[in-house]
Amino acid sequence: MALFKSAENKSNEQERKIQAMLDKYGLGELSDPMDVYSAKRIAEELVGTGLMETGMKIGLTKPEIQLPILYQRAIMEQNFIIIRQLNRISKALEK
């Protein structure tokens, strides 16, 4: 068993995490290619910074540190809701 992951394995794992995040927040069904690209870029940044895993680590920090992080996660999730709703509106207008 190798101690270090290969670049290909890291890339596959990163892509899997990104897709899992998009699916979790209902962004896997975006229809506009530019929206898909933007959502993937956002997911890459969030996965890369570890913000998505912050919930697991947050129990180890002080409350004054936890609160801004929780607010940021709430805003992020609200933004994803808005993106999904705009996508639904766009699909409805195309019909």
Side-chain angles (χ1 to χ4, degrees):
M1 187 169 112
L3 292 175
F4 300 102
K5 295 180 183 178
S6 71
E8 184 178 343
N9 285 347
K10 284 182 184 179
S11 177
N12 289 342
E13 184 177 333
Q14 177 98 352
E15 186 61 35
R16 189 177 38 76
K17 284 182 180 182
I18 290 167
Q19 191 58 50
M21 194 203 91
L22 292 174
D23 292 341
K24 176 181 177 181
Y25 291 102
L27 300 175
E29 301 296 320
L30 295 177
S31 56
D32 186 290
M34 288 299 293
D35 293 340
V36 172
Y37 175 77
S38 295
K40 282 192 171 196
R41 294 270 321 224
I42 292 167
E44 286 172 7
E45 291 295 322
L46 293 172
V47 168
T49 61
L51 185 60
M52 297 310 296
E53 292 85 21
T54 301
M56 291 180 264
K57 300 174 189 169
I58 215 162
L60 305 174
T61 61
K62 297 177 183 177
E64 59 271 13
I65 295 172
Q66 288 181 4
L67 198 53
I69 293 171
L70 292 173
Y71 286 152
Q72 289 174 352
R73 280 189 62 109
I75 291 169
M76 177 190 67
E77 291 188 30
Q78 290 169 350
N79 287 339
F80 290 151
I81 291 168
I82 292 167
I83 291 168
R84 285 194 311 268
Q85 290 174 336
L86 289 172
N87 188 60
R88 286 186 204 120
I89 291 168
S90 176
K91 284 181 179 178
L93 291 175
E94 290 175 357
K95 293 180 181 180

